[in-house]
Amino acid sequence: MLSTLLQLASLAALAHGHGYISSPPMRMPGNATTSACGKSVVADIVKDKTSHVEGLPELAAKDAGYHASQCNLWLCRGVQFADNAANVQAYAPGQVVNVKIALTIPHVGSANVSVVDTKTNAIVGQPLLSWPSGYADEKQFYGQTLPANQTDFNVTIPTTLDGKCATAGECVIQWWWYGTGARQTYESCIDFTVAKV
Ligand SMILES: [Cu+2]
């Protein structure tokens, strides 16, 4: 059992990346992201939807198409709103939204799901959900006892936005996870609007 865990752990260390929002549809890169972030970043994300952020800044910096001020790799891995404009979810204040995560390789750490202001990359209000520690624990994952609500959970759209996030692209719901031992960050974004009531 221990040797199996060790083998799996070494596999995990070699494999790329490890999680993304599988529902509702997450931002995926297209032409706008290529213009902002360059081809290399886009190729990395297309090759592996679960890939982490660390490593991307170095990759991007070598790419002539990289414009750091437009491509914010620490928000949605740099994937731009324009590439997901067809998938904007219209939510109502107080609406309960189910979110599913495809978590392919665990790295124990912390995570949260938050409304993020895309201009400032700051969380709006409090996280909708947060796991201060113990998220994606290898022992639970490989023991098949990972709590189901880490990968299939509901968030409630805040009732306090008062017109914020009414415009598509202004805010995202971002799932953010940092594997402490692996030192890897995962970011996946849902585009949405909330009508002012
Ligand atoms: Cu890893």
Side-chain angles (χ1 to χ4, degrees):
M1 179 64 185
L2 181 60
S3 68
T4 307
L5 277 176
L6 288 173
Q7 279 169 12
L8 287 167
S10 64
L11 270 178
L14 291 172
H16 276 261
H18 318 14
Y20 63 93
I21 294 177
S22 56
S23 172
M26 69 160 171
R27 277 193 190 183
M28 279 295 286
N31 292 339
T33 306
T34 303
S35 295
C37 303
K39 287 195 180 102
S40 307
V41 164
V42 171
D44 181 276
I45 297 170
V46 168
K47 188 180 71 193
D48 181 359
K49 284 192 281 197
T50 75
S51 69
H52 56 274
V53 183
E54 288 79 4
L56 291 182
E58 200 180 337
L59 188 68
K62 292 186 208 147
D63 196 316
Y66 178 53
H67 305 283
S69 62
Q70 291 167 44
C71 170
N72 183 357
L73 291 167
W74 297 98
L75 173 71
C76 311
R77 277 185 295 184
V79 181
Q80 304 291 304
F81 165 68
D83 290 333
N84 196 41
N87 288 321
V88 178
Q89 313 295 311
Y91 295 140
Q95 185 173 340
V96 175
V97 176
N98 180 252
V99 177
K100 290 187 171 62
I101 305 298
L103 203 155
T104 57
I105 301 174
H107 287 310
V108 69
S110 56
N112 70 70
V113 180
S114 303
V115 173
V116 176
D117 180 323
T118 56
K119 273 216 182 72
T120 58
N121 193 10
I123 293 176
V124 177
Q126 296 298 311
L128 305 178
L129 276 179
S130 101
W131 294 265
S133 63
Y135 188 83
D137 188 319
E138 285 85 342
K139 291 199 252 358
Q140 292 183 326
F141 183 89
Y142 292 119
Q144 311 221 326
T145 58
L146 193 72
N149 67 3
Q150 291 189 7
T151 54
D152 185 347
F153 47 77
N154 292 331
V155 295
T156 303
I157 302 303
T159 54
T160 51
L161 292 169
D162 193 33
K164 192 166 180 69
C165 310
T167 306
E170 184 183 353
C171 303
V172 290
I173 294 174
Q174 181 171 247
W175 167 80
W176 179 97
W177 163 33
Y178 179 69
T180 315
R183 299 187 189 171
Q184 292 177 350
T185 305
Y186 304 93
E187 299 166 347
S188 201
C189 288
I190 299 164
D191 282 297
F192 76 107
T193 56
V194 182
K196 183 174 161 67
V197 284

